[in-house]
């Protein structure tokens, strides 16, 4: 196509010289002469004949498929260009000729959807790989078409095949007997599946296996060895990782850079710069080919595990924020490799896996991926993986904290008691203090304020004689949350200030940012809304910078409440919807429920009563004994408001009285704005129903057994 586009620019035209089927490099000049219709002349070599012919001509030569005769192509091209001033050459090859004056243009694979990108019937045609698949599929099955049902599978298929034209064509040819979904389902066996190219093509273009065999066979022995070893990496890798993991047995460390560069030049490895550092990767198809040549028990898997275990070691809580951020960045960059190393260790040597699992779980927790972190740390517990007592403490306490955040308080307490058992065995006061801190948080979520205060006090007492400053600050911050919940705002602010000073001393700006947001929350509780906004908006950008998704999510929830209270309903709805999206992605059940309830309250204000009722009832139906008690209380208050607006005052009064009673039982302190609103409605209900009727309803609610409060409310709403 390039030749056709440029033919008018060259007085003597364009010639294409194909080398694909040429098996003897020494015959390159003969092939060129044949295309140019030149004959050998006695006493002169053929290259001189070609130079004489081209010397004065303005001509473009396109040399196609030079990779297997690259050295000879480079020599002949250099000689011709040096003798023929008007000559231009385009050479297609897996790697550059590396001669003077050469400009390299990297030919990309066809454009394709991202591996997780969903396409619709309408958007399919914007990708070259999808268009090629459709064109080839319809040529073998005329009634093939893209539908809303098969479009997502088609997107994933083209991404899995890396936009490689031959792979796309061979996959499309299978449409005669398999639908798109089935082709995708079998793509892990791509080298068996993708066969049967045109008989008129070269053998290497008739199967995907043959295509890559062609490239592989052109490598030197050391290039082949490194190419196969590099398949141990998942996703991307660094030069340092390749040097440490892939050396030994015929390849020295100093050779890795040049060999990797050769594979890069030959398009078997891809590179890209990220934050000033070069990272390498392979296309999925190339990596699968390479991995099939690497023995599953090869020692390189252990070297891979050891390397990523070493760079994943958790930071001590008291280290400087710069080291934490550097650790976070390392963990982010190496997620594919770390997950792969964990899988390998669980399958081949489980005792090795505990520390790496705990490191990965901590990273995921910081990122806010609670459900994934919980699932991972449970592998240590459920598989009873051999580990140290400290590792067991960390596994059980992490699982307890995560279960509590995901609405699993009963499971959380069971895990935490186990962690405390191991604390006694190990004799670790600092770990015991940390477990008691977590116990305090769980007690808050479970509506047990006396227990919560007791656990925080015990934790702080243990820490008095220990040099664990960050752990102390964490406990102070959580103790402040308890005090805020029970209405001790002055003490809560004092505790937060003490924690903030420790975080500032250690330059822990992520934890300091949480203190800013927590202060904003307390001022919100007290009704000082502008002060609250100042602190929340100061902390949020810092949390976004350090990529703490859980804290970002809860802060957006707080900001939504602030906007809701100030009647900025459009802004509050945006916040709540963002919270629900993040909560759904990362598994924050409690936060999701709170935001969902607030959308119900917003619907009531906007006279969408049926929508509001559906939301409140939905939350009650999903409530269980492990659920956060605040979810129960807010859902009941919401339904009370709904019936108030519907003028069903007796029903409304019963619900408000019930919510009030549960709030007192669990000693949960509502925000000033919410408390004032509920008080005003209850006073109005008392006036509307009469004092005697209201007192009768109050006595009825007081007599109820609230062990199954959610079921009682659902029964009331069905009356």
């Amino acid at each position: 196509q390039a030749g056709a586009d440029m033919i008018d620019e060259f007085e003597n035209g364009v010639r294409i010289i194909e080398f694909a089927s040429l098996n003897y490099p020494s015959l390159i000049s003969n092939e060129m002469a044949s295309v140019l219709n030149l004959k050998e002349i006695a006493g002169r070599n053929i290259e001189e004949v070609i130079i004489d012919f081209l010397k004065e001509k303005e001509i473009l030569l396109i040399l196609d498929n030079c990779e297997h005769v690259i050295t000879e192509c480079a020599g002949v091209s250099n000689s011709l260009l040096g003798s023929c001033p008007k000559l231009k050459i385009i050479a297609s090859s897996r790697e550059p000729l590396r001669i003077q004056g050469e400009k390299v243009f990297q030919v990309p694979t066809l454009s394709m959807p991202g591996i997780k990108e969903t396409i619709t019937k309408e958007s399919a045609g914007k990708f070259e790989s999808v268009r090629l698949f459709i064109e080839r599929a319809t040529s073998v099955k005329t009634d093939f078409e893209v539908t809303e049902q098969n479009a997502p599978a088609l997107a994933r298929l083209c991404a899995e095949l890396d936009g490689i034209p031959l792979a796309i064509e061979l996959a499309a040819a299978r449409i005669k007997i398999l639908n798109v979904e089935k082709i995708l389902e079998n793509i892990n066996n791509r080298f068996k599946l993708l066969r049967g190219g045109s008989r008129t093509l070269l053998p290497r273009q008739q199967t995907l296996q043959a295509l890559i065999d062609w490239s592989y066979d052109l490598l030197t022995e050391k290039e082949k060895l490194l190419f196969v070893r590099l398949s141990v990496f998942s996703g991307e890798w660094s030069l340092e990782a390749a040097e440490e993991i892939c050396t030994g047995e015929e390849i020295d460390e100093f050779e890795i850079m040049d060999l990797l560069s050769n594979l890069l030049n030959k398009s078997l490895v891809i590179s890209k710069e990220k934050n000033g550092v070069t990272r390498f990767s392979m296309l999925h198809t190339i990596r699968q080919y390479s991995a099939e040549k690497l023995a599953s028990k090869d020692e390189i898997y252990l070297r891979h595990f050891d390397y990523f275990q070493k760079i994943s070691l958790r930071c001590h809580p008291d280290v400087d924020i710069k080291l934490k951020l550097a650790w976070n960045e390392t963990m982010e960059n190496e997620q594919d490799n770390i997950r792969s190393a964990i899988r390998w260790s669980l399958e081949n040597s489980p005792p090795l896996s505990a520390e790496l699992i705990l490191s990965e779980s901590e990273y995921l927790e910081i990122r806010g991926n609670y459900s994934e972190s919980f699932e991972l740390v449970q592998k240590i517990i459920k598989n009873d993986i051999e580990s140290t007592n400290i590792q067991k403490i960390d596994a059980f306490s992490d699982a307890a904290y995560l279960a509590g955040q995901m609405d699993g308080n009963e499971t959380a307490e069971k895990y935490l008691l186990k962690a405390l058992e191991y604390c006694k065995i190990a004799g670790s006061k600092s770990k015991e203090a940390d477990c008691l801190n977590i116990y305090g948080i769980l007690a808050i979520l479970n509506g047990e304020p006396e227990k919560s205060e007791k656990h925080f006090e015990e934790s702080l007492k243990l820490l008095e004689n220990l040099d664990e400053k960050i752990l102390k600050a964490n406990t102070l911050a959580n103790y402040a949350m308890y005090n805020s919940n029970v209405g001790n705002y002055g003490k809560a602010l004092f505790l937060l200030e003490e924690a903030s000073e420790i975080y500032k001393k250690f330059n822990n700006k992520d934890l300091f940012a949480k203190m800013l947001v927590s202060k904003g929350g307390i001022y919100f509780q007290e009704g000082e809304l502008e002060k609250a906004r100042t602190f929340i908006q100061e902390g949020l950008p810092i949390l976004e910078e350090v990529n703490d998704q859980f804290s970002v999510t809860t802060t957006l929830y707080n900001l939504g409440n602030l906007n809701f209270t100030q009647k900025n309903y459009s802004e509050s709805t945006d916040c709540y919807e963002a919270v629900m999206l993040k909560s759904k992605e990362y598994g924050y059940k409690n936060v999701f429920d709170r935001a969902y309830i607030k959308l119900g309250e917003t619907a009531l204000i906007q006279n969408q009563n049926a929508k509001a009722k559906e939301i409140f009832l939905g939350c009650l139906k999903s409530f269980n004994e492990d659920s956060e008690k605040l979810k129960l209380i807010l859902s009941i208050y919401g339904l009370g408001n709904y019936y108030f607006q519907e003028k069903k005052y007796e029903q409304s009064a019963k619900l408000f009285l019930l919510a009030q009673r549960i709030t007192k039982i669990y000693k949960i302190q509502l925000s000033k704005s919410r408390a004032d609103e509920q008080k005003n409605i209850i006073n109005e209900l008392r006036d509307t129903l009469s004092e005697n009727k209201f007192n009768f309803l109050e006595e009825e609610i007081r007599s109820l057994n609230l062990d199954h409060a959610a079921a009682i409310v659902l029964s009331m709403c069905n009356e």
Side-chain angles (χ1 to χ4, degrees):
Q1 186 60 48
D5 291 344
M6 300 175 69
I7 197 163
D8 292 335
E9 297 179 27
F10 293 87
E11 182 181 341
N12 301 108
V14 176
R15 299 287 190 278
I16 297 179
I17 304 166
E18 297 277 3
F19 293 139
S21 58
L22 192 67
N23 294 320
Y24 300 100
S26 59
L27 297 179
I28 280 179
S29 296
N30 298 76
E31 186 67 22
M32 293 177 75
S34 175
V35 172
L36 296 171
N37 292 319
L38 300 177
K39 305 292 184 185
E40 291 190 43
I41 299 174
R44 303 186 67 192
N45 68 46
I46 193 65
E47 191 174 318
E48 291 175 348
V49 173
I50 295 171
I51 289 172
D52 282 348
F53 175 76
L54 297 175
K55 188 171 288 186
E56 302 300 328
K57 287 186 172 58
E58 187 179 9
I59 192 170
L60 170 66
L61 298 184
I62 298 178
L63 311 182
D64 195 22
N65 290 113
C66 302
E67 54 274 350
H68 61 304
V69 287
I70 192 74
T71 303
E72 292 72 14
C73 271
V76 170
S77 297
N78 192 56
S79 177
L80 292 177
L81 290 168
S83 304
C84 309
K86 297 180 182 180
L87 172 66
K88 303 289 183 187
I89 292 176
I90 292 177
S92 80
S93 178
R94 184 183 64 173
E95 59 182 306
L97 299 184
R98 289 190 288 186
I99 61 175
Q100 189 174 0
E102 182 179 27
K103 293 181 181 178
V104 178
F105 174 76
Q106 189 74 34
V107 181
T109 56
L110 300 178
S111 64
M112 57 191 162
I115 203 76
K116 295 182 179 178
E117 186 173 354
T118 300
I119 62 173
T120 63
K121 179 180 177 181
E122 287 70 30
S123 65
K126 71 178 183 178
F127 300 103
E128 294 166 339
S129 56
V130 175
R131 291 202 302 272
L132 177 62
F133 184 96
I134 295 169
E135 179 186 318
R136 294 297 188 265
T138 51
S139 73
V140 297
K141 189 179 181 189
T142 54
D143 61 347
F144 172 79
E145 62 178 343
V146 181
T147 65
E148 292 301 337
Q149 289 69 41
N150 67 19
L154 180 54
R156 180 68 186 270
L157 177 62
C158 290
E160 286 282 353
L161 293 175
D162 305 301
I164 298 172
L166 178 63
I168 301 289
E169 292 194 13
L170 293 172
R174 291 297 189 192
I175 209 71
K176 286 184 290 187
I177 52 173
L178 299 174
N179 63 25
V180 175
E181 292 85 351
K182 278 292 181 185
I183 296 173
L184 176 61
E185 192 178 310
N186 287 279
I187 205 61
N188 283 338
N189 294 317
R190 66 190 70 194
F191 295 113
K192 292 179 180 176
L193 177 71
L194 302 182
R195 297 172 172 274
S198 170
R199 291 188 180 89
T200 62
L201 294 173
L202 291 165
R204 67 184 175 90
Q205 294 175 334
Q206 292 181 18
T207 72
L208 187 61
Q209 175 85 39
L211 176 71
I212 306 176
D213 281 342
W214 164 265
S215 273
Y216 178 77
D217 290 342
L218 292 173
L219 300 177
T220 66
E221 289 308 309
K222 286 192 175 183
E223 287 170 349
K224 286 178 181 177
L225 192 54
L226 179 60
F227 173 64
V228 170
R229 288 178 182 176
L230 290 173
S231 68
V232 76
F233 293 106
S234 292
E236 300 175 353
W237 68 85
S238 65
L239 174 62
E240 292 75 16
E243 287 175 334
E244 187 157 334
I245 295 168
C246 298
T247 53
E249 297 178 29
E250 301 180 44
I251 299 180
D252 292 323
E253 183 178 327
F254 72 87
E255 295 179 286
I256 294 287
M257 184 183 294
D258 286 338
L259 291 172
L260 186 56
S261 180
N262 292 346
L263 294 175
L264 191 64
N265 287 336
K266 291 166 182 172
S267 305
L268 290 169
V269 168
I270 304 165
S271 71
K272 68 176 180 180
E273 193 169 301
K274 186 176 181 181
N275 299 327
V277 177
T278 301
R279 304 277 295 171
F280 303 93
S281 63
M282 287 179 178
L283 297 177
H284 302 293
T285 302
I286 300 298
R287 184 183 178 277
Q288 186 174 327
Y289 175 93
S290 177
E292 288 181 3
K293 293 183 176 294
L294 184 65
S296 60
K297 299 296 183 184
D298 197 297
E299 188 188 339
I300 197 166
Y301 286 103
L302 178 58
R303 294 206 297 270
H304 178 273
F305 174 86
D306 287 342
Y307 178 83
F308 287 104
Q309 164 124 303
K310 180 179 65 178
I311 68 169
S312 300
L313 288 177
R314 293 172 286 169
C315 296
H316 188 276
D318 292 358
V319 302
D320 187 273
I321 185 63
K322 290 179 181 176
L323 291 176
K324 279 190 176 181
L325 290 176
W327 181 80
N328 278 340
E329 186 177 351
T330 297
M331 295 296 286
E332 173 67 24
N333 288 338
E334 303 297 356
Q335 276 303 285
D336 289 330
N337 282 302
I338 291 167
R339 288 186 172 113
S340 172
I342 289 171
R343 282 194 302 272
W344 177 85
S345 62
L346 286 171
E347 291 170 7
N348 294 275
S349 187
L352 291 175
S353 65
E355 188 57 43
L356 185 54
I357 286 175
L358 290 168
S359 295
E360 173 69 355
S361 176
E362 181 174 316
Y363 167 74
L364 292 170
E365 187 181 319
I366 291 169
R367 285 291 312 274
N369 293 359
Y370 280 18
S371 54
E372 187 179 351
S373 180
F374 182 61
E375 182 182 335
L376 191 58
V377 79
Q378 278 191 306
K379 292 184 185 299
I380 298 176
I381 296 169
K382 290 187 174 180
N383 297 335
D384 196 22
I385 289 174
E386 184 182 329
S387 51
T388 66
N389 286 327
I390 295 298
Q391 288 171 337
K392 285 174 181 172
I393 294 168
D394 289 346
F396 279 106
S397 60
D398 284 358
Y401 173 75
L402 293 163
Q405 295 300 328
M406 294 188 300
D407 218 5
N409 292 344
E410 187 177 338
T411 303
E413 188 164 15
K414 181 181 73 174
Y415 283 153
L416 199 54
L417 290 172
K418 198 72 178 172
L420 284 165
E421 279 181 32
Y422 282 111
C423 287
K424 300 296 184 188
I425 295 170
S428 174
K429 297 295 182 187
S430 62
K431 292 292 182 183
E432 185 179 353
D434 194 19
C435 287
L436 288 167
N437 175 35
I438 295 170
Y439 216 161
I441 298 170
L442 294 179
I444 291 174
L445 295 174
N446 210 28
E448 300 173 307
E450 293 88 355
K451 267 190 178 182
S452 179
E453 182 176 30
K454 173 176 169 286
H455 294 320
F456 287 131
E457 291 284 2
E458 287 175 347
S459 178
L460 288 169
K461 189 171 182 181
L462 280 171
L463 289 167
E464 281 177 2
N465 300 315
L466 299 175
D467 188 24
E468 293 283 354
K469 298 294 190 298
I470 295 296
L471 178 53
K472 181 181 179 181
N474 293 345
T475 307
L476 289 168
N478 291 325
Y479 194 21
M481 178 171 64
Y482 155 78
N483 279 281
S484 175
N485 279 6
V486 297
N488 297 335
Y489 300 129
K491 185 171 182 180
L493 286 169
F494 175 80
L495 292 167
L496 287 176
E497 195 56 45
E498 192 177 346
S500 296
E501 288 303 313
I502 296 173
Y503 293 142
K504 270 200 281 189
K505 180 181 177 183
F506 284 90
N507 193 26
N508 242 309
K509 67 177 183 178
D510 54 336
L511 298 175
F512 179 73
K514 291 182 185 180
M515 298 304 96
L516 292 172
V517 172
S518 296
K519 287 177 185 176
I522 291 172
Y523 285 121
F524 173 75
Q525 294 283 95
E526 290 189 296
E528 296 190 51
L529 302 184
E530 288 311 315
K531 257 189 178 179
R533 185 178 291 277
T534 298
F535 280 104
I536 289 171
Q537 290 184 333
E538 186 179 347
L540 181 57
I542 303 172
L543 294 170
E544 288 174 330
E545 179 190 344
V546 298
N547 209 8
D548 181 344
Q549 290 298 329
F550 180 73
S551 297
V552 167
T553 304
T554 54
T555 303
L556 284 171
Y557 174 73
N558 291 337
L559 193 56
N561 289 345
L562 182 58
N563 282 312
F564 181 90
T565 304
Q566 294 182 316
K567 297 181 169 48
N568 301 325
Y569 299 122
S570 176
E571 289 86 345
S572 67
T573 297
D574 288 344
C575 287
Y576 296 139
E577 287 177 347
V579 166
M580 288 171 69
L581 278 173
K582 284 182 176 291
S583 297
K584 197 169 183 180
E585 181 179 357
Y586 295 113
Y588 314 145
K589 186 71 173 67
N590 292 340
V591 190
F592 180 95
D593 288 336
R594 290 186 206 173
Y596 192 39
I597 290 168
K598 292 301 294 187
L599 285 181
E601 293 177 14
T602 305
L604 270 183
I605 289 168
Q606 296 172 336
N607 297 316
Q608 298 172 341
N609 290 9
K611 178 182 177 182
K613 183 183 181 184
E614 183 185 349
I615 289 172
F616 299 138
L617 288 175
C619 286
L620 282 171
K621 286 173 183 174
S622 66
F623 183 83
N624 57 58
E625 60 185 12
D626 276 347
S627 295
E628 184 183 31
K629 298 301 182 286
L630 188 60
K631 171 183 175 179
L632 173 66
I633 292 165
L634 296 180
S635 298
I636 298 173
Y637 271 130
L639 283 167
N641 270 315
Y642 163 77
Y643 283 111
F644 183 78
Q645 289 201 12
E646 291 288 309
K647 299 187 174 13
K648 296 181 179 179
Y649 299 123
E650 188 172 325
Q651 187 82 315
S652 176
K654 287 164 72 173
L655 289 164
F656 272 111
L657 290 167
L658 185 59
Q660 260 192 341
R661 187 180 164 200
I662 297 170
T663 303
K664 286 178 183 175
I665 289 171
Y666 294 113
K667 297 182 181 179
I668 291 174
Q669 188 74 25
L670 300 175
S671 67
K672 184 177 183 301
S673 59
R674 185 182 287 278
D676 288 346
E677 180 188 6
Q678 312 308 352
K679 184 179 178 183
N680 291 336
I681 293 175
I682 288 172
N683 288 338
E684 194 171 335
L685 285 165
R686 189 187 297 273
D687 293 340
T688 304
L689 291 170
S690 83
E691 188 75 23
N692 286 339
K693 182 65 175 175
F694 193 86
N695 289 341
F696 174 79
L697 294 174
E698 200 166 23
E699 189 60 36
E700 181 185 336
I701 295 302
R702 196 179 293 120
S703 68
L704 292 173
N705 180 342
L706 298 184
D707 288 345
H708 303 288
I712 291 170
V713 175
L714 290 170
S715 177
M716 282 183 183
C717 295
N718 287 329
E719 289 176 1

